[in-house]
């Protein structure tokens, strides 16, 4: 593994180490990745199996915290097995480690939509060291830190009820675990729902066309990658471009998209904060801001701005989040009007009513 390790990892003993299951049909990959992980006291490999069926059998008898899953395997492929592994894992996070997760790969979007916490491109067997090793460790440590923070984060008593006004726009922000949550949200929204939906999901630019195409299918409405001066119209969904923030402005009576590359405090590109701040300026209290699963605090500043205008802010609950960083930060800031599961969120959005 990398020679310089985060301080959190070095203080963890084997008795408290995160339990990892490796699922890969290559005996070489299983051995090399096991050795990499074995160099960090924060993790312990409790199993290494060659196929999905063996992984299911292992999970029936053993508890794990993190699963490293290949996609291309004999029998049941990793993507087909992923929902069952999530269920059998009882809260275990899954990182897809596969050569199928190349830059812009549709397999990556599909894996994230199915509930994977993260993905990592697996290089050829001769290159399973160096940068791959470092990146794998970084992802494992970051995910473990977030899981432990979520475990001690306070719960919220934010209301779930709904009465009152409708919304003129829905603005949704998400990061790690957010694509899966978003797919659950959108399934609950009927085809006749015509309020425009703006989405900022932390993804690289090359993934955005795949993401927009998937949203179009899930939402049953046109979905486009944001371009400058694009009209925000009823019945339409727009996703942030990977290289720019999705912001709103008015041209006469019409709301339009404005792209911004301004640096933001979170360091994210695209960022939820500028989207929320501009939505607050254009739509005021007729907006609904939604934050789904994700690491960090992106969206908190924007949510505070939305709340100050009388807009509604709703966030995903801790129990259903892969990482409760972004939603939890908003709850802790005191500006979440409602906290709910993705399915509840979809039904809430469809009603277009304010929480009681």
């Amino acid at each position: 593994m990398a020679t310089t390790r985060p301080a959190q990892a070095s203080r963890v003993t084997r008795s408290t180490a995160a339990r990892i299951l490796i699922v890969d049909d290559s005996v070489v990959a299983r051995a090399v990745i096991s050795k990499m992980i074995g160099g960090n006291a924060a993790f312990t490999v409790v199993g290494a199996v060659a196929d999905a069926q063996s992984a299911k059998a292992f999970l029936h008898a053993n508890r794990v915290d993190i699963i490293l899953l290949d996609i291309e395997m004999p029998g049941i492929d990793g993507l087909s097995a992923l929902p069952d592994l999530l269920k059998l894992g009882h809260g275990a996070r899954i990182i897809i480690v596969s050569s199928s997760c190349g830059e812009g790969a549709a397999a990556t979007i599909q894996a994230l939509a199915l509930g994977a916490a993260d993905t990592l491109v697996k290089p050829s067997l001769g290159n399973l060291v160096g940068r791959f090793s470092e990146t794998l460790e970084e992802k494992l440590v970051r995910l473990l830190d977030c899981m432990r923070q979520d475990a001690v984060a306070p719960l919220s008593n934010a209301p779930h009820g709904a009465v009152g006004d409708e919304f003129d726009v829905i603005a949704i922000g998400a990061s790690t675990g957010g694509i899966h949550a978003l797919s659950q949200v959108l399934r609950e929204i009927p085809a006749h729902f015509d309020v425009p939906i703006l989405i900022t999901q932390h993804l690289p630019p090359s993934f955005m066309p795949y993401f927009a195409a998937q949203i179009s299918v899930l939402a049953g409405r046109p979905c486009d990658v944001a371009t400058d001066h694009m009209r925000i119209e009823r019945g339409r969904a727009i996703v942030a471009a990977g290289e720019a923030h999705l912001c709103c402005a008015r041209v006469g009576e019409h709301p339009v998209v404005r792209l911004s590359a301004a640096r933001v405090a979170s360091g994210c590109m695209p960022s939820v904060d500028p989207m929320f701040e501009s939505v607050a300026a254009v739509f005021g209290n007729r907006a609904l801001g939604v934050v789904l699963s994700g690491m960090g605090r992106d969206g908190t500043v924007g949510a505070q701005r939305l709340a100050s205008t009388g807009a509604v802010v709703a966030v995903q609950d801790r129990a259903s989040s892969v990482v409760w960083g972004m939603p939890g930060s908003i709850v802790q800031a005191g500006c979440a009007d409602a906290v709910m599961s993705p399915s509840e969120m979809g039904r809430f959005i469809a009603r277009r009513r304010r929480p009681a």
Side-chain angles (χ1 to χ4, degrees), residues 253-288:
E253 295 298 314
H254 301 292
V256 299
V257 168
R258 294 308 312 269
L259 300 184
S260 169
R263 296 184 65 178
V264 296
S266 68
C268 298
M269 178 61 76
S271 170
V272 181
D273 281 325
M275 177 179 71
F276 278 179
E277 290 174 316
S278 65
V279 164
V282 171
F283 292 94
N285 65 0
R286 302 289 295 173
L288 169 61

PDB file of all heavy atoms in Angstrom, residues 253-288:
ATOM      1  N   GLU A 253     -38.756  36.967 -18.320  1.00  0.00           N
ATOM      2  CA  GLU A 253     -39.595  36.168 -17.427  1.00  0.00           C
ATOM      3  C   GLU A 253     -39.147  34.720 -17.351  1.00  0.00           C
ATOM      4  O   GLU A 253     -39.756  33.918 -16.623  1.00  0.00           O
ATOM      5  CB  GLU A 253     -41.053  36.222 -17.917  1.00  0.00           C
ATOM      6  CG  GLU A 253     -41.685  37.598 -17.833  1.00  0.00           C
ATOM      7  CD  GLU A 253     -41.745  38.095 -16.388  1.00  0.00           C
ATOM      8  OE1 GLU A 253     -42.143  37.306 -15.506  1.00  0.00           O
ATOM      9  OE2 GLU A 253     -41.380  39.258 -16.154  1.00  0.00           O
ATOM     10  N   HIS A 254     -38.108  34.366 -18.086  1.00  0.00           N
ATOM     11  CA  HIS A 254     -37.751  32.956 -18.219  1.00  0.00           C
ATOM     12  C   HIS A 254     -36.505  32.608 -17.400  1.00  0.00           C
ATOM     13  O   HIS A 254     -35.462  33.248 -17.534  1.00  0.00           O
ATOM     14  CB  HIS A 254     -37.506  32.623 -19.694  1.00  0.00           C
ATOM     15  CG  HIS A 254     -38.672  32.888 -20.582  1.00  0.00           C
ATOM     16  ND1 HIS A 254     -39.837  32.153 -20.516  1.00  0.00           N
ATOM     17  CD2 HIS A 254     -38.866  33.824 -21.544  1.00  0.00           C
ATOM     18  CE1 HIS A 254     -40.700  32.621 -21.412  1.00  0.00           C
ATOM     19  NE2 HIS A 254     -40.130  33.637 -22.049  1.00  0.00           N
ATOM     20  N   PRO A 255     -36.587  31.568 -16.564  1.00  0.00           N
ATOM     21  CA  PRO A 255     -35.383  31.093 -15.880  1.00  0.00           C
ATOM     22  C   PRO A 255     -34.507  30.305 -16.844  1.00  0.00           C
ATOM     23  O   PRO A 255     -35.006  29.512 -17.659  1.00  0.00           O
ATOM     24  CB  PRO A 255     -35.944  30.196 -14.771  1.00  0.00           C
ATOM     25  CG  PRO A 255     -37.258  29.732 -15.278  1.00  0.00           C
ATOM     26  CD  PRO A 255     -37.798  30.832 -16.152  1.00  0.00           C
ATOM     27  N   VAL A 256     -33.217  30.533 -16.768  1.00  0.00           N
ATOM     28  CA  VAL A 256     -32.271  29.850 -17.641  1.00  0.00           C
ATOM     29  C   VAL A 256     -31.082  29.340 -16.829  1.00  0.00           C
ATOM     30  O   VAL A 256     -30.853  29.771 -15.694  1.00  0.00           O
ATOM     31  CB  VAL A 256     -31.746  30.781 -18.757  1.00  0.00           C
ATOM     32  CG1 VAL A 256     -32.888  31.269 -19.631  1.00  0.00           C
ATOM     33  CG2 VAL A 256     -30.958  31.950 -18.167  1.00  0.00           C
ATOM     34  N   VAL A 257     -30.348  28.443 -17.434  1.00  0.00           N
ATOM     35  CA  VAL A 257     -29.119  27.931 -16.831  1.00  0.00           C
ATOM     36  C   VAL A 257     -27.969  28.875 -17.142  1.00  0.00           C
ATOM     37  O   VAL A 257     -27.832  29.367 -18.258  1.00  0.00           O
ATOM     38  CB  VAL A 257     -28.787  26.527 -17.391  1.00  0.00           C
ATOM     39  CG1 VAL A 257     -27.377  26.101 -17.006  1.00  0.00           C
ATOM     40  CG2 VAL A 257     -29.809  25.507 -16.914  1.00  0.00           C
ATOM     41  N   ARG A 258     -27.161  29.131 -16.150  1.00  0.00           N
ATOM     42  CA  ARG A 258     -25.875  29.797 -16.364  1.00  0.00           C
ATOM     43  C   ARG A 258     -24.787  28.895 -15.797  1.00  0.00           C
ATOM     44  O   ARG A 258     -24.913  28.392 -14.680  1.00  0.00           O
ATOM     45  CB  ARG A 258     -25.817  31.173 -15.681  1.00  0.00           C
ATOM     46  CG  ARG A 258     -26.770  32.207 -16.266  1.00  0.00           C
ATOM     47  CD  ARG A 258     -26.644  32.365 -17.788  1.00  0.00           C
ATOM     48  NE  ARG A 258     -25.279  32.521 -18.268  1.00  0.00           N
ATOM     49  CZ  ARG A 258     -24.663  33.714 -18.431  1.00  0.00           C
ATOM     50  NH1 ARG A 258     -25.305  34.831 -18.109  1.00  0.00           N
ATOM     51  NH2 ARG A 258     -23.436  33.766 -18.899  1.00  0.00           N
ATOM     52  N   LEU A 259     -23.763  28.686 -16.568  1.00  0.00           N
ATOM     53  CA  LEU A 259     -22.648  27.865 -16.121  1.00  0.00           C
ATOM     54  C   LEU A 259     -21.595  28.731 -15.449  1.00  0.00           C
ATOM     55  O   LEU A 259     -21.339  29.857 -15.869  1.00  0.00           O
ATOM     56  CB  LEU A 259     -22.020  27.119 -17.300  1.00  0.00           C
ATOM     57  CG  LEU A 259     -22.943  26.164 -18.061  1.00  0.00           C
ATOM     58  CD1 LEU A 259     -22.143  25.420 -19.137  1.00  0.00           C
ATOM     59  CD2 LEU A 259     -23.618  25.171 -17.129  1.00  0.00           C
ATOM     60  N   SER A 260     -21.006  28.201 -14.398  1.00  0.00           N
ATOM     61  CA  SER A 260     -19.978  28.927 -13.655  1.00  0.00           C
ATOM     62  C   SER A 260     -18.843  27.972 -13.313  1.00  0.00           C
ATOM     63  O   SER A 260     -19.080  26.821 -12.928  1.00  0.00           O
ATOM     64  CB  SER A 260     -20.557  29.523 -12.373  1.00  0.00           C
ATOM     65  OG  SER A 260     -19.525  30.001 -11.527  1.00  0.00           O
ATOM     66  N   ALA A 261     -17.621  28.464 -13.447  1.00  0.00           N
ATOM     67  CA  ALA A 261     -16.444  27.678 -13.062  1.00  0.00           C
ATOM     68  C   ALA A 261     -15.781  28.279 -11.832  1.00  0.00           C
ATOM     69  O   ALA A 261     -14.621  27.982 -11.535  1.00  0.00           O
ATOM     70  CB  ALA A 261     -15.455  27.615 -14.224  1.00  0.00           C
ATOM     71  N   ALA A 262     -16.513  29.122 -11.101  1.00  0.00           N
ATOM     72  CA  ALA A 262     -15.945  29.789  -9.931  1.00  0.00           C
ATOM     73  C   ALA A 262     -15.524  28.769  -8.879  1.00  0.00           C
ATOM     74  O   ALA A 262     -16.170  27.740  -8.683  1.00  0.00           O
ATOM     75  CB  ALA A 262     -16.969  30.755  -9.338  1.00  0.00           C
ATOM     76  N   ARG A 263     -14.429  29.054  -8.187  1.00  0.00           N
ATOM     77  CA  ARG A 263     -13.981  28.187  -7.106  1.00  0.00           C
ATOM     78  C   ARG A 263     -14.925  28.343  -5.918  1.00  0.00           C
ATOM     79  O   ARG A 263     -15.385  29.438  -5.597  1.00  0.00           O
ATOM     80  CB  ARG A 263     -12.558  28.547  -6.694  1.00  0.00           C
ATOM     81  CG  ARG A 263     -11.540  28.316  -7.789  1.00  0.00           C
ATOM     82  CD  ARG A 263     -10.123  28.586  -7.300  1.00  0.00           C
ATOM     83  NE  ARG A 263      -9.733  27.643  -6.258  1.00  0.00           N
ATOM     84  CZ  ARG A 263      -8.535  27.632  -5.698  1.00  0.00           C
ATOM     85  NH1 ARG A 263      -7.610  28.515  -6.074  1.00  0.00           N
ATOM     86  NH2 ARG A 263      -8.250  26.744  -4.764  1.00  0.00           N
ATOM     87  N   VAL A 264     -15.222  27.227  -5.272  1.00  0.00           N
ATOM     88  CA  VAL A 264     -16.120  27.246  -4.123  1.00  0.00           C
ATOM     89  C   VAL A 264     -15.415  26.623  -2.926  1.00  0.00           C
ATOM     90  O   VAL A 264     -14.429  25.897  -3.067  1.00  0.00           O
ATOM     91  CB  VAL A 264     -17.434  26.485  -4.425  1.00  0.00           C
ATOM     92  CG1 VAL A 264     -18.220  27.183  -5.528  1.00  0.00           C
ATOM     93  CG2 VAL A 264     -17.140  25.036  -4.822  1.00  0.00           C
ATOM     94  N   ALA A 265     -15.945  26.899  -1.735  1.00  0.00           N
ATOM     95  CA  ALA A 265     -15.290  26.468  -0.498  1.00  0.00           C
ATOM     96  C   ALA A 265     -15.155  24.955  -0.416  1.00  0.00           C
ATOM     97  O   ALA A 265     -14.162  24.439   0.112  1.00  0.00           O
ATOM     98  CB  ALA A 265     -16.066  26.990   0.705  1.00  0.00           C
ATOM     99  N   SER A 266     -16.128  24.216  -0.933  1.00  0.00           N
ATOM    100  CA  SER A 266     -16.090  22.759  -0.845  1.00  0.00           C
ATOM    101  C   SER A 266     -15.029  22.149  -1.746  1.00  0.00           C
ATOM    102  O   SER A 266     -14.617  21.007  -1.552  1.00  0.00           O
ATOM    103  CB  SER A 266     -17.457  22.168  -1.205  1.00  0.00           C
ATOM    104  OG  SER A 266     -17.734  22.371  -2.579  1.00  0.00           O
ATOM    105  N   GLY A 267     -14.622  22.905  -2.766  1.00  0.00           N
ATOM    106  CA  GLY A 267     -13.659  22.388  -3.734  1.00  0.00           C
ATOM    107  C   GLY A 267     -14.274  21.479  -4.772  1.00  0.00           C
ATOM    108  O   GLY A 267     -13.570  20.942  -5.634  1.00  0.00           O
ATOM    109  N   CYS A 268     -15.590  21.287  -4.731  1.00  0.00           N
ATOM    110  CA  CYS A 268     -16.256  20.372  -5.656  1.00  0.00           C
ATOM    111  C   CYS A 268     -16.507  21.033  -7.010  1.00  0.00           C
ATOM    112  O   CYS A 268     -16.780  22.225  -7.094  1.00  0.00           O
ATOM    113  CB  CYS A 268     -17.589  19.911  -5.073  1.00  0.00           C
ATOM    114  SG  CYS A 268     -17.439  18.982  -3.534  1.00  0.00           S
ATOM    115  N   MET A 269     -16.433  20.241  -8.055  1.00  0.00           N
ATOM    116  CA  MET A 269     -16.788  20.690  -9.395  1.00  0.00           C
ATOM    117  C   MET A 269     -17.460  19.527 -10.113  1.00  0.00           C
ATOM    118  O   MET A 269     -16.802  18.536 -10.432  1.00  0.00           O
ATOM    119  CB  MET A 269     -15.544  21.130 -10.157  1.00  0.00           C
ATOM    120  CG  MET A 269     -15.843  21.570 -11.586  1.00  0.00           C
ATOM    121  SD  MET A 269     -16.971  22.976 -11.705  1.00  0.00           S
ATOM    122  CE  MET A 269     -15.846  24.323 -11.258  1.00  0.00           C
ATOM    123  N   PRO A 270     -18.782  19.602 -10.343  1.00  0.00           N
ATOM    124  CA  PRO A 270     -19.670  20.715  -9.996  1.00  0.00           C
ATOM    125  C   PRO A 270     -20.035  20.677  -8.513  1.00  0.00           C
ATOM    126  O   PRO A 270     -19.904  19.645  -7.869  1.00  0.00           O
ATOM    127  CB  PRO A 270     -20.908  20.443 -10.859  1.00  0.00           C
ATOM    128  CG  PRO A 270     -20.938  18.942 -10.979  1.00  0.00           C
ATOM    129  CD  PRO A 270     -19.490  18.508 -11.056  1.00  0.00           C
ATOM    130  N   SER A 271     -20.525  21.821  -8.016  1.00  0.00           N
ATOM    131  CA  SER A 271     -20.869  21.946  -6.601  1.00  0.00           C
ATOM    132  C   SER A 271     -22.355  22.219  -6.425  1.00  0.00           C
ATOM    133  O   SER A 271     -22.979  22.910  -7.233  1.00  0.00           O
ATOM    134  CB  SER A 271     -20.052  23.075  -5.967  1.00  0.00           C
ATOM    135  OG  SER A 271     -20.519  23.382  -4.676  1.00  0.00           O
ATOM    136  N   VAL A 272     -22.897  21.682  -5.334  1.00  0.00           N
ATOM    137  CA  VAL A 272     -24.307  21.895  -5.009  1.00  0.00           C
ATOM    138  C   VAL A 272     -24.536  23.319  -4.491  1.00  0.00           C
ATOM    139  O   VAL A 272     -25.592  23.913  -4.739  1.00  0.00           O
ATOM    140  CB  VAL A 272     -24.772  20.872  -3.959  1.00  0.00           C
ATOM    141  CG1 VAL A 272     -26.255  21.063  -3.619  1.00  0.00           C
ATOM    142  CG2 VAL A 272     -24.529  19.444  -4.442  1.00  0.00           C
ATOM    143  N   ASP A 273     -23.566  23.870  -3.774  1.00  0.00           N
ATOM    144  CA  ASP A 273     -23.745  25.193  -3.153  1.00  0.00           C
ATOM    145  C   ASP A 273     -24.139  26.284  -4.142  1.00  0.00           C
ATOM    146  O   ASP A 273     -25.143  26.979  -3.935  1.00  0.00           O
ATOM    147  CB  ASP A 273     -22.484  25.602  -2.388  1.00  0.00           C
ATOM    148  CG  ASP A 273     -22.384  24.925  -1.030  1.00  0.00           C
ATOM    149  OD1 ASP A 273     -23.431  24.715  -0.392  1.00  0.00           O
ATOM    150  OD2 ASP A 273     -21.265  24.623  -0.605  1.00  0.00           O
ATOM    151  N   PRO A 274     -23.393  26.503  -5.244  1.00  0.00           N
ATOM    152  CA  PRO A 274     -23.805  27.566  -6.165  1.00  0.00           C
ATOM    153  C   PRO A 274     -25.138  27.306  -6.831  1.00  0.00           C
ATOM    154  O   PRO A 274     -25.879  28.244  -7.127  1.00  0.00           O
ATOM    155  CB  PRO A 274     -22.664  27.624  -7.187  1.00  0.00           C
ATOM    156  CG  PRO A 274     -21.921  26.355  -7.027  1.00  0.00           C
ATOM    157  CD  PRO A 274     -22.091  25.922  -5.617  1.00  0.00           C
ATOM    158  N   MET A 275     -25.482  26.033  -7.051  1.00  0.00           N
ATOM    159  CA  MET A 275     -26.808  25.741  -7.604  1.00  0.00           C
ATOM    160  C   MET A 275     -27.887  26.191  -6.630  1.00  0.00           C
ATOM    161  O   MET A 275     -28.826  26.907  -7.001  1.00  0.00           O
ATOM    162  CB  MET A 275     -26.954  24.248  -7.899  1.00  0.00           C
ATOM    163  CG  MET A 275     -28.351  23.863  -8.412  1.00  0.00           C
ATOM    164  SD  MET A 275     -28.573  22.098  -8.809  1.00  0.00           S
ATOM    165  CE  MET A 275     -28.580  21.381  -7.157  1.00  0.00           C
ATOM    166  N   PHE A 276     -27.761  25.778  -5.361  1.00  0.00           N
ATOM    167  CA  PHE A 276     -28.760  26.163  -4.365  1.00  0.00           C
ATOM    168  C   PHE A 276     -28.822  27.677  -4.185  1.00  0.00           C
ATOM    169  O   PHE A 276     -29.922  28.251  -4.070  1.00  0.00           O
ATOM    170  CB  PHE A 276     -28.431  25.506  -3.025  1.00  0.00           C
ATOM    171  CG  PHE A 276     -28.900  24.083  -2.887  1.00  0.00           C
ATOM    172  CD1 PHE A 276     -28.644  23.367  -1.722  1.00  0.00           C
ATOM    173  CD2 PHE A 276     -29.600  23.446  -3.897  1.00  0.00           C
ATOM    174  CE1 PHE A 276     -29.078  22.061  -1.567  1.00  0.00           C
ATOM    175  CE2 PHE A 276     -30.037  22.137  -3.765  1.00  0.00           C
ATOM    176  CZ  PHE A 276     -29.773  21.439  -2.598  1.00  0.00           C
ATOM    177  N   GLU A 277     -27.682  28.330  -4.135  1.00  0.00           N
ATOM    178  CA  GLU A 277     -27.667  29.781  -3.916  1.00  0.00           C
ATOM    179  C   GLU A 277     -28.361  30.511  -5.054  1.00  0.00           C
ATOM    180  O   GLU A 277     -29.133  31.457  -4.828  1.00  0.00           O
ATOM    181  CB  GLU A 277     -26.230  30.264  -3.755  1.00  0.00           C
ATOM    182  CG  GLU A 277     -25.582  29.813  -2.453  1.00  0.00           C
ATOM    183  CD  GLU A 277     -24.119  30.175  -2.352  1.00  0.00           C
ATOM    184  OE1 GLU A 277     -23.389  29.982  -3.345  1.00  0.00           O
ATOM    185  OE2 GLU A 277     -23.697  30.648  -1.290  1.00  0.00           O
ATOM    186  N   SER A 278     -28.125  30.079  -6.286  1.00  0.00           N
ATOM    187  CA  SER A 278     -28.764  30.739  -7.429  1.00  0.00           C
ATOM    188  C   SER A 278     -30.248  30.394  -7.518  1.00  0.00           C
ATOM    189  O   SER A 278     -31.067  31.231  -7.909  1.00  0.00           O
ATOM    190  CB  SER A 278     -28.037  30.371  -8.727  1.00  0.00           C
ATOM    191  OG  SER A 278     -28.161  28.993  -9.011  1.00  0.00           O
ATOM    192  N   VAL A 279     -30.605  29.166  -7.149  1.00  0.00           N
ATOM    193  CA  VAL A 279     -32.026  28.797  -7.114  1.00  0.00           C
ATOM    194  C   VAL A 279     -32.755  29.659  -6.087  1.00  0.00           C
ATOM    195  O   VAL A 279     -33.884  30.114  -6.323  1.00  0.00           O
ATOM    196  CB  VAL A 279     -32.173  27.293  -6.782  1.00  0.00           C
ATOM    197  CG1 VAL A 279     -33.601  26.967  -6.355  1.00  0.00           C
ATOM    198  CG2 VAL A 279     -31.790  26.446  -7.990  1.00  0.00           C
ATOM    199  N   ALA A 280     -32.120  29.895  -4.954  1.00  0.00           N
ATOM    200  CA  ALA A 280     -32.726  30.752  -3.935  1.00  0.00           C
ATOM    201  C   ALA A 280     -32.948  32.162  -4.477  1.00  0.00           C
ATOM    202  O   ALA A 280     -33.993  32.784  -4.222  1.00  0.00           O
ATOM    203  CB  ALA A 280     -31.835  30.803  -2.698  1.00  0.00           C
ATOM    204  N   ALA A 281     -31.986  32.670  -5.229  1.00  0.00           N
ATOM    205  CA  ALA A 281     -32.095  34.028  -5.766  1.00  0.00           C
ATOM    206  C   ALA A 281     -33.184  34.134  -6.827  1.00  0.00           C
ATOM    207  O   ALA A 281     -33.879  35.153  -6.923  1.00  0.00           O
ATOM    208  CB  ALA A 281     -30.745  34.456  -6.348  1.00  0.00           C
ATOM    209  N   VAL A 282     -33.357  33.097  -7.647  1.00  0.00           N
ATOM    210  CA  VAL A 282     -34.303  33.152  -8.767  1.00  0.00           C
ATOM    211  C   VAL A 282     -35.709  32.725  -8.355  1.00  0.00           C
ATOM    212  O   VAL A 282     -36.706  33.334  -8.743  1.00  0.00           O
ATOM    213  CB  VAL A 282     -33.795  32.284  -9.944  1.00  0.00           C
ATOM    214  CG1 VAL A 282     -34.862  32.160 -11.032  1.00  0.00           C
ATOM    215  CG2 VAL A 282     -32.512  32.860 -10.519  1.00  0.00           C
ATOM    216  N   PHE A 283     -35.807  31.663  -7.529  1.00  0.00           N
ATOM    217  CA  PHE A 283     -37.116  31.091  -7.219  1.00  0.00           C
ATOM    218  C   PHE A 283     -37.596  31.390  -5.800  1.00  0.00           C
ATOM    219  O   PHE A 283     -38.781  31.200  -5.503  1.00  0.00           O
ATOM    220  CB  PHE A 283     -37.085  29.574  -7.430  1.00  0.00           C
ATOM    221  CG  PHE A 283     -36.931  29.152  -8.861  1.00  0.00           C
ATOM    222  CD1 PHE A 283     -35.674  28.888  -9.393  1.00  0.00           C
ATOM    223  CD2 PHE A 283     -38.031  29.020  -9.683  1.00  0.00           C
ATOM    224  CE1 PHE A 283     -35.517  28.491 -10.711  1.00  0.00           C
ATOM    225  CE2 PHE A 283     -37.902  28.621 -11.007  1.00  0.00           C
ATOM    226  CZ  PHE A 283     -36.638  28.361 -11.524  1.00  0.00           C
ATOM    227  N   GLY A 284     -36.696  31.819  -4.922  1.00  0.00           N
ATOM    228  CA  GLY A 284     -37.091  32.168  -3.567  1.00  0.00           C
ATOM    229  C   GLY A 284     -37.790  31.038  -2.850  1.00  0.00           C
ATOM    230  O   GLY A 284     -37.358  29.883  -2.909  1.00  0.00           O
ATOM    231  N   ASN A 285     -38.922  31.352  -2.198  1.00  0.00           N
ATOM    232  CA  ASN A 285     -39.605  30.344  -1.394  1.00  0.00           C
ATOM    233  C   ASN A 285     -40.425  29.353  -2.219  1.00  0.00           C
ATOM    234  O   ASN A 285     -41.108  28.496  -1.669  1.00  0.00           O
ATOM    235  CB  ASN A 285     -40.504  31.006  -0.351  1.00  0.00           C
ATOM    236  CG  ASN A 285     -41.656  31.780  -0.966  1.00  0.00           C
ATOM    237  OD1 ASN A 285     -41.790  31.837  -2.192  1.00  0.00           O
ATOM    238  ND2 ASN A 285     -42.459  32.391  -0.127  1.00  0.00           N
ATOM    239  N   ARG A 286     -40.345  29.462  -3.556  1.00  0.00           N
ATOM    240  CA  ARG A 286     -41.040  28.509  -4.424  1.00  0.00           C
ATOM    241  C   ARG A 286     -40.136  27.359  -4.845  1.00  0.00           C
ATOM    242  O   ARG A 286     -40.442  26.629  -5.786  1.00  0.00           O
ATOM    243  CB  ARG A 286     -41.566  29.226  -5.669  1.00  0.00           C
ATOM    244  CG  ARG A 286     -42.501  30.381  -5.370  1.00  0.00           C
ATOM    245  CD  ARG A 286     -43.835  29.919  -4.854  1.00  0.00           C
ATOM    246  NE  ARG A 286     -44.579  29.164  -5.860  1.00  0.00           N
ATOM    247  CZ  ARG A 286     -45.721  28.525  -5.618  1.00  0.00           C
ATOM    248  NH1 ARG A 286     -46.242  28.529  -4.404  1.00  0.00           N
ATOM    249  NH2 ARG A 286     -46.343  27.871  -6.573  1.00  0.00           N
ATOM    250  N   ALA A 287     -39.012  27.193  -4.147  1.00  0.00           N
ATOM    251  CA  ALA A 287     -38.045  26.147  -4.488  1.00  0.00           C
ATOM    252  C   ALA A 287     -38.034  25.056  -3.431  1.00  0.00           C
ATOM    253  O   ALA A 287     -38.309  25.294  -2.261  1.00  0.00           O
ATOM    254  CB  ALA A 287     -36.647  26.748  -4.626  1.00  0.00           C
ATOM    255  N   LEU A 288     -37.676  23.852  -3.878  1.00  0.00           N
ATOM    256  CA  LEU A 288     -37.407  22.738  -2.977  1.00  0.00           C
ATOM    257  C   LEU A 288     -35.982  22.271  -3.241  1.00  0.00           C
ATOM    258  O   LEU A 288     -35.648  21.865  -4.361  1.00  0.00           O
ATOM    259  CB  LEU A 288     -38.382  21.582  -3.222  1.00  0.00           C
ATOM    260  CG  LEU A 288     -38.039  20.248  -2.535  1.00  0.00           C
ATOM    261  CD1 LEU A 288     -38.022  20.394  -1.017  1.00  0.00           C
ATOM    262  CD2 LEU A 288     -39.014  19.146  -2.960  1.00  0.00           C
TER     263      LEU A 288
END
